[in-house]
Amino acid sequence: IMVMAPMAILVYGVWASIIYPGAHLPTTALLAIPISIIIGLFYALLSIAMPRAGGDYIWVSRILHPAIGYSINFFLFMVILSVAGAYIPWFTQYVLAPILEVHGLTDLAATVSSNEFTFAFAVIYYLICAVIISRGAKATAKVLWAYFILVLVGLAIYAGALFLIGRGVFAANFSAATGVSYEEIIEAAVDAGYPTGFLLTATLLGLTFTYINFLGFNFSIYLAGEIKEVQKSQIIAIVGAVLLFGFIDWLAYEAAYVGMGGEFLGALSYLYAIGSDIYPFGSREPFFMWLFRYAVDPTTYTIFMIGWGAMVLAAILTYVATAVRFVFAWSFDRVVPTFLSNVDMRYHSPYAALIFVTIVAIIFQALWLWTPLLQYFAYIVFGWMIMQIITSIAGIVFPKRRPDIWER
């Protein structure tokens, strides 16, 4: 669940509304659930057949060819560390800065939004992640549980407030703070071409962005060698994670539609997309977690944002931990130097791979902040689908290519 980053949908949903006007976001969350379960069960079955750290790298390497297995896993390694690089600014610029702004500390908010502060924070947090992961899987799990509790507190505040206060309170606060009336936003968007009502085609296309948030539902496969009773645990973990995460996403969307207004949110996103003069936030996107400030007082908003920030930090921790398992699996197969599979005898953690991944993550962070080299981030879903297609082909030919494993 924490790999998928619950409540990141408050960002992805806005992107869906910007690109596909008329998308009904709560429906996209419900549609993503069965798609993810079908794919997740397939991954669970292969993980049961070959329960090794490395997941699809192991399966594809053993069934199709080692070079193909390494290629798709190396792609995923690049992706998750790139996403980690993107999420660090989410914490400094999307969490810390808005909290400071809502309390009137605009100069400090500008400071924490800078690339220099973001990079310094990244180095510190990656080192913290390394310390946590070095203490073993149980220590990492405990930290993730603490983060998850904070996320649930934030979600409860967000959903509870939006369901209880009513759209009228939000509309009045928004109008007073921005100087643009709630109704004027909707009218201006409709006049500019925004569709009235929700569209099925836009909803199906908008599903793409909601599904981005679901990616990672199968990441327990990369720790299969560390899981007890993998035959039962993988199915429960993957299906359970998809169902719970799907509910969280649907609830976050539905609460926004009830408390802020689905048509208003779509109209606001549309005005941002077309660069309308009436759009009140300049170049800043209308992310739902930022709009929530108009529904509650600053203290309540701060508590919510702490929960949302915990989601961001937890996701980064899972990405680093997963990348370490990738490098360990490669080293175990001698695809990369074997010293990278060295394990600490006390905590049973692959310390050499952890040091390597931490260094790479810090380098990627600098590349993300100061260069355009990681712009392939925009093609993550396309690449991810290719990766899943290759793994699916491996699953189809599995019984014939490796009957020795299949018949066990």
Side-chain angles (χ1 to χ4, degrees):
I1 291 175
M2 301 313 290
V3 171
M4 293 185 277
M7 289 208 297
I9 207 69
L10 304 185
V11 171
Y12 292 121
V14 173
W15 290 340
S17 296
I18 288 172
I19 298 177
Y20 304 113
H24 188 262
L25 299 178
T27 299
T28 65
L30 298 178
L31 292 174
I33 292 174
I35 296 173
S36 301
I37 286 178
I38 293 171
I39 298 173
L41 286 173
F42 161 68
Y43 273 83
L45 291 175
L46 276 177
S47 180
I48 291 169
M50 286 180 264
R52 280 264 314 273
D56 44 15
Y57 159 70
I58 299 296
W59 317 331
V60 177
S61 295
R62 304 300 186 266
I63 298 171
L64 297 181
H65 192 279
I68 300 175
Y70 176 71
S71 296
I72 65 170
N73 204 234
F74 181 75
F75 162 78
L76 189 55
F77 174 84
M78 298 288 286
V79 164
I80 60 176
L81 290 186
S82 298
V83 174
Y87 273 20
I88 289 288
W90 278 28
F91 186 79
T92 58
Q93 298 169 12
Y94 290 12
V95 178
L96 291 182
I99 289 175
L100 294 170
E101 286 176 358
V102 81
H103 290 284
L105 303 172
T106 54
D107 290 340
L108 190 55
T111 300
V112 302
S113 296
S114 67
N115 285 348
E116 292 74 18
F117 179 89
T118 299
F119 183 73
F121 175 82
V123 172
I124 294 171
Y125 188 65
Y126 284 135
L127 292 176
I128 292 173
C129 288
V131 171
I132 294 170
I133 296 168
S134 71
R135 294 301 182 265
K138 289 184 178 180
T140 304
K142 289 178 181 178
V143 174
L144 290 175
W145 267 110
Y147 277 139
F148 186 53
I149 291 170
L150 290 175
V151 170
L152 291 181
V153 170
L155 176 65
I157 291 172
Y158 174 83
L162 290 175
F163 280 129
L164 292 174
I165 65 168
R167 195 174 303 174
V169 174
F170 172 82
N173 291 342
F174 174 86
S175 301
T178 63
V180 182
S181 74
Y182 182 94
E183 294 78 13
E184 191 177 356
I185 292 291
I186 298 174
E187 292 171 0
V190 172
D191 290 343
Y194 179 73
T196 56
F198 296 108
L199 305 177
L200 176 60
T201 302
T203 300
L204 295 176
L205 291 171
L207 170 61
T208 305
F209 284 93
T210 297
Y211 188 69
I212 290 176
N213 205 184
F214 273 75
L215 295 179
F217 54 79
N218 59 343
F219 265 42
S220 59
I221 64 171
Y222 299 113
L223 287 79
E226 305 169 50
I227 297 175
K228 296 179 180 179
E229 298 183 359
V230 68
Q231 295 87 346
K232 183 190 300 182
S233 300
Q234 282 290 29
I235 294 176
I236 293 174
I238 292 175
V239 175
V242 169
L243 291 173
L244 180 54
F245 186 83
F247 172 74
I248 290 173
D249 272 12
W250 173 84
L251 181 63
Y253 275 151
E254 188 65 20
Y257 272 42
V258 171
M260 302 180 194
E263 188 178 18
F264 168 80
L265 294 172
L268 192 63
S269 299
Y270 186 80
L271 293 178
Y272 167 81
I274 65 174
S276 172
D277 292 337
I278 201 172
Y279 180 74
F281 302 123
S283 60
R284 178 175 286 188
E285 293 164 291
F287 295 141
F288 295 172
M289 69 281 187
W290 291 343
L291 296 176
F292 184 63
R293 67 187 292 180
Y294 304 115
V296 293
D297 61 86
T299 301
T300 303
Y301 179 72
T302 299
I303 297 172
F304 157 72
M305 288 299 284
I306 290 173
W308 201 84
M311 173 270 298
V312 175
L313 297 179
I316 296 169
L317 175 59
T318 64
Y319 300 154
V320 174
T322 304
V324 170
R325 267 63 182 184
F326 292 171
V327 175
F328 178 81
W330 302 342
S331 179
F332 197 81
D333 282 356
R334 300 187 177 183
V335 176
V336 297
T338 55
F339 76 85
L340 290 172
S341 60
N342 291 346
V343 175
D344 177 77
M345 297 306 294
R346 180 179 179 184
Y347 296 105
H348 307 291
S349 58
Y351 68 87
L354 177 57
I355 293 171
F356 173 75
V357 169
T358 303
I359 293 172
V360 172
I362 292 172
I363 293 172
F364 271 38
Q365 189 64 64
L367 293 175
W368 180 268
L369 292 172
W370 287 296
T371 78
L373 292 179
L374 301 186
Q375 286 185 352
Y376 63 80
F377 180 85
Y379 302 98
I380 281 179
V381 173
F382 179 68
W384 205 296
M385 294 306 103
I386 293 175
M387 182 180 68
Q388 288 187 344
I389 289 170
I390 292 172
T391 306
S392 299
I393 293 172
I396 292 170
V397 301
F398 181 22
K400 291 186 177 180
R401 292 276 296 178
R402 296 301 304 266
D404 55 319
I405 301 176
W406 172 261
E407 291 172 3
R408 289 190 320 204

Short mmCIF file of all heavy atoms in Angstrom, two decimals, residues 127-143 226 317 321 324-325 343-351 354:
data_model
loop_
_atom_site.label_atom_id
_atom_site.label_comp_id
_atom_site.label_asym_id
_atom_site.label_seq_id
_atom_site.Cartn_x
_atom_site.Cartn_y
_atom_site.Cartn_z
N LEU A 127 19.84 9.19 3.61
CA LEU A 127 20.70 8.59 4.64
C LEU A 127 19.87 7.99 5.77
O LEU A 127 20.20 6.92 6.30
CB LEU A 127 21.68 9.64 5.19
CG LEU A 127 22.75 10.13 4.20
CD1 LEU A 127 23.59 11.24 4.82
CD2 LEU A 127 23.64 8.97 3.75
N ILE A 128 18.79 8.67 6.13
CA ILE A 128 17.88 8.12 7.14
C ILE A 128 17.27 6.81 6.65
O ILE A 128 17.18 5.82 7.38
CB ILE A 128 16.77 9.14 7.49
CG1 ILE A 128 17.37 10.34 8.23
CG2 ILE A 128 15.68 8.48 8.33
CD1 ILE A 128 16.40 11.47 8.47
N CYS A 129 16.84 6.80 5.38
CA CYS A 129 16.29 5.58 4.79
C CYS A 129 17.31 4.45 4.84
O CYS A 129 16.98 3.30 5.15
CB CYS A 129 15.88 5.83 3.34
SG CYS A 129 14.39 6.85 3.14
N ALA A 130 18.57 4.78 4.55
CA ALA A 130 19.62 3.76 4.56
C ALA A 130 19.79 3.17 5.95
O ALA A 130 19.94 1.95 6.10
CB ALA A 130 20.93 4.37 4.08
N VAL A 131 19.74 4.01 6.96
CA VAL A 131 19.87 3.53 8.34
C VAL A 131 18.70 2.61 8.68
O VAL A 131 18.89 1.53 9.26
CB VAL A 131 19.95 4.71 9.33
CG1 VAL A 131 19.86 4.21 10.77
CG2 VAL A 131 21.23 5.51 9.11
N ILE A 132 17.50 3.02 8.32
CA ILE A 132 16.31 2.21 8.62
C ILE A 132 16.39 0.85 7.93
O ILE A 132 16.19 -0.20 8.55
CB ILE A 132 15.03 2.94 8.18
CG1 ILE A 132 14.82 4.21 9.02
CG2 ILE A 132 13.81 2.03 8.31
CD1 ILE A 132 13.74 5.12 8.49
N ILE A 133 16.69 0.86 6.64
CA ILE A 133 16.75 -0.38 5.86
C ILE A 133 17.88 -1.28 6.35
O ILE A 133 17.75 -2.51 6.36
CB ILE A 133 16.92 -0.06 4.37
CG1 ILE A 133 15.68 0.70 3.85
CG2 ILE A 133 17.13 -1.32 3.54
CD1 ILE A 133 15.86 1.32 2.48
N SER A 134 18.98 -0.67 6.79
CA SER A 134 20.12 -1.47 7.27
C SER A 134 19.78 -2.26 8.52
O SER A 134 20.47 -3.24 8.85
CB SER A 134 21.32 -0.56 7.55
OG SER A 134 21.09 0.24 8.71
N ARG A 135 18.74 -1.86 9.22
CA ARG A 135 18.34 -2.55 10.45
C ARG A 135 17.41 -3.72 10.17
O ARG A 135 16.91 -4.36 11.10
CB ARG A 135 17.67 -1.57 11.43
CG ARG A 135 18.62 -0.51 11.97
CD ARG A 135 19.79 -1.17 12.70
NE ARG A 135 20.71 -0.22 13.28
CZ ARG A 135 21.82 0.23 12.70
NH1 ARG A 135 22.14 -0.20 11.49
NH2 ARG A 135 22.62 1.08 13.31
N GLY A 136 17.17 -4.01 8.89
CA GLY A 136 16.40 -5.19 8.53
C GLY A 136 14.95 -4.91 8.15
O GLY A 136 14.44 -3.80 8.32
N ALA A 137 14.30 -5.94 7.62
CA ALA A 137 12.93 -5.80 7.11
C ALA A 137 11.94 -5.47 8.22
O ALA A 137 10.99 -4.71 8.00
CB ALA A 137 12.51 -7.09 6.41
N LYS A 138 12.14 -6.01 9.41
CA LYS A 138 11.20 -5.74 10.51
C LYS A 138 11.24 -4.27 10.91
O LYS A 138 10.19 -3.66 11.17
CB LYS A 138 11.52 -6.64 11.71
CG LYS A 138 11.16 -8.10 11.50
CD LYS A 138 11.40 -8.91 12.76
CE LYS A 138 10.99 -10.36 12.54
NZ LYS A 138 11.23 -11.19 13.76
N ALA A 139 12.43 -3.70 10.99
CA ALA A 139 12.55 -2.28 11.34
C ALA A 139 11.90 -1.41 10.27
O ALA A 139 11.20 -0.44 10.59
CB ALA A 139 14.02 -1.92 11.50
N THR A 140 12.12 -1.76 9.01
CA THR A 140 11.49 -1.01 7.92
C THR A 140 9.98 -1.10 8.00
O THR A 140 9.28 -0.09 7.82
CB THR A 140 11.98 -1.55 6.56
OG1 THR A 140 13.41 -1.50 6.51
CG2 THR A 140 11.41 -0.72 5.41
N ALA A 141 9.47 -2.29 8.29
CA ALA A 141 8.02 -2.48 8.39
C ALA A 141 7.43 -1.64 9.52
O ALA A 141 6.34 -1.07 9.38
CB ALA A 141 7.70 -3.96 8.61
N LYS A 142 8.13 -1.56 10.64
CA LYS A 142 7.63 -0.76 11.77
C LYS A 142 7.53 0.72 11.41
O LYS A 142 6.56 1.40 11.75
CB LYS A 142 8.54 -0.94 12.98
CG LYS A 142 8.44 -2.31 13.63
CD LYS A 142 9.40 -2.43 14.81
CE LYS A 142 9.31 -3.81 15.45
NZ LYS A 142 10.27 -3.96 16.58
N VAL A 143 8.54 1.23 10.70
CA VAL A 143 8.51 2.63 10.27
C VAL A 143 7.36 2.86 9.29
O VAL A 143 6.64 3.86 9.38
CB VAL A 143 9.85 3.03 9.63
CG1 VAL A 143 9.77 4.44 9.06
CG2 VAL A 143 10.97 2.95 10.67
N GLU A 226 11.78 -13.32 1.48
CA GLU A 226 11.74 -12.97 2.90
C GLU A 226 10.36 -13.17 3.52
O GLU A 226 10.15 -12.83 4.68
CB GLU A 226 12.15 -11.50 3.06
CG GLU A 226 13.50 -11.16 2.44
CD GLU A 226 13.76 -9.66 2.39
OE1 GLU A 226 13.60 -9.01 3.43
OE2 GLU A 226 14.11 -9.15 1.31
N LEU A 317 10.80 5.63 0.99
CA LEU A 317 11.45 4.55 1.73
C LEU A 317 11.24 3.20 1.05
O LEU A 317 12.18 2.40 0.93
CB LEU A 317 10.91 4.51 3.17
CG LEU A 317 11.39 3.37 4.07
CD1 LEU A 317 12.92 3.40 4.22
CD2 LEU A 317 10.71 3.44 5.43
N ALA A 321 14.14 0.70 -0.61
CA ALA A 321 14.22 -0.68 -0.12
C ALA A 321 14.05 -1.67 -1.27
O ALA A 321 14.74 -2.70 -1.34
CB ALA A 321 13.16 -0.93 0.95
N VAL A 324 17.13 -1.82 -3.55
CA VAL A 324 18.18 -2.61 -2.92
C VAL A 324 17.99 -4.10 -3.23
O VAL A 324 18.96 -4.82 -3.54
CB VAL A 324 18.19 -2.39 -1.39
CG1 VAL A 324 19.11 -3.39 -0.70
CG2 VAL A 324 18.63 -0.97 -1.07
N ARG A 325 16.75 -4.57 -3.21
CA ARG A 325 16.47 -5.98 -3.54
C ARG A 325 16.82 -6.27 -4.99
O ARG A 325 17.28 -7.36 -5.31
CB ARG A 325 14.99 -6.30 -3.29
CG ARG A 325 14.67 -6.86 -1.91
CD ARG A 325 14.97 -5.90 -0.82
NE ARG A 325 14.71 -6.42 0.51
CZ ARG A 325 14.84 -5.71 1.61
NH1 ARG A 325 15.21 -4.44 1.54
NH2 ARG A 325 14.61 -6.25 2.80
N VAL A 343 26.02 -9.34 2.84
CA VAL A 343 24.93 -9.18 3.81
C VAL A 343 25.50 -8.98 5.21
O VAL A 343 26.45 -9.67 5.61
CB VAL A 343 23.99 -10.40 3.79
CG1 VAL A 343 22.92 -10.30 4.88
CG2 VAL A 343 23.34 -10.56 2.43
N ASP A 344 24.91 -8.04 5.94
CA ASP A 344 25.28 -7.81 7.33
C ASP A 344 24.82 -9.00 8.17
O ASP A 344 23.65 -9.40 8.11
CB ASP A 344 24.62 -6.53 7.84
CG ASP A 344 24.90 -6.27 9.31
OD1 ASP A 344 26.01 -5.83 9.62
OD2 ASP A 344 23.99 -6.51 10.13
N MET A 345 25.71 -9.58 8.94
CA MET A 345 25.39 -10.80 9.68
C MET A 345 24.42 -10.57 10.83
O MET A 345 23.68 -11.46 11.22
CB MET A 345 26.69 -11.42 10.21
CG MET A 345 27.66 -11.85 9.11
SD MET A 345 26.89 -12.97 7.89
CE MET A 345 26.57 -14.39 8.93
N ARG A 346 24.42 -9.36 11.36
CA ARG A 346 23.55 -9.09 12.52
C ARG A 346 22.11 -8.83 12.10
O ARG A 346 21.18 -9.41 12.66
CB ARG A 346 24.09 -7.90 13.31
CG ARG A 346 23.24 -7.55 14.52
CD ARG A 346 23.83 -6.38 15.29
NE ARG A 346 23.00 -6.03 16.44
CZ ARG A 346 23.24 -4.99 17.24
NH1 ARG A 346 24.31 -4.22 17.02
NH2 ARG A 346 22.44 -4.74 18.25
N TYR A 347 21.94 -7.97 11.11
CA TYR A 347 20.59 -7.58 10.70
C TYR A 347 20.13 -8.24 9.41
O TYR A 347 18.99 -8.04 8.97
CB TYR A 347 20.50 -6.06 10.54
CG TYR A 347 20.74 -5.30 11.82
CD1 TYR A 347 21.93 -4.63 12.05
CD2 TYR A 347 19.75 -5.26 12.80
CE1 TYR A 347 22.15 -3.93 13.23
CE2 TYR A 347 19.96 -4.57 13.99
CZ TYR A 347 21.16 -3.91 14.19
OH TYR A 347 21.36 -3.22 15.36
N HIS A 348 21.02 -9.02 8.79
CA HIS A 348 20.71 -9.74 7.55
C HIS A 348 20.24 -8.79 6.43
O HIS A 348 19.36 -9.13 5.65
CB HIS A 348 19.63 -10.80 7.81
CG HIS A 348 19.97 -11.73 8.93
ND1 HIS A 348 20.99 -12.67 8.84
CD2 HIS A 348 19.46 -11.86 10.18
CE1 HIS A 348 21.08 -13.34 9.98
NE2 HIS A 348 20.17 -12.86 10.82
N SER A 349 20.84 -7.62 6.37
CA SER A 349 20.51 -6.65 5.33
C SER A 349 21.67 -6.55 4.35
O SER A 349 22.84 -6.61 4.75
CB SER A 349 20.22 -5.28 5.94
OG SER A 349 21.34 -4.83 6.68
N PRO A 350 21.37 -6.41 3.05
CA PRO A 350 22.42 -6.31 2.03
C PRO A 350 23.06 -4.93 2.02
O PRO A 350 22.69 -4.05 1.25
CB PRO A 350 21.67 -6.60 0.72
CG PRO A 350 20.26 -6.20 1.01
CD PRO A 350 20.03 -6.43 2.47
N TYR A 351 24.04 -4.74 2.89
CA TYR A 351 24.58 -3.40 3.13
C TYR A 351 25.30 -2.82 1.92
O TYR A 351 25.25 -1.61 1.66
CB TYR A 351 25.50 -3.41 4.36
CG TYR A 351 26.78 -4.18 4.18
CD1 TYR A 351 27.92 -3.58 3.63
CD2 TYR A 351 26.86 -5.51 4.56
CE1 TYR A 351 29.09 -4.30 3.46
CE2 TYR A 351 28.03 -6.23 4.40
CZ TYR A 351 29.14 -5.62 3.84
OH TYR A 351 30.30 -6.33 3.67
N LEU A 354 22.80 -1.56 -0.47
CA LEU A 354 22.17 -0.38 0.14
C LEU A 354 23.03 0.87 -0.05
O LEU A 354 22.51 1.94 -0.39
CB LEU A 354 21.92 -0.64 1.62
CG LEU A 354 21.32 0.50 2.44
CD1 LEU A 354 20.00 0.96 1.85
CD2 LEU A 354 21.14 0.07 3.90
#
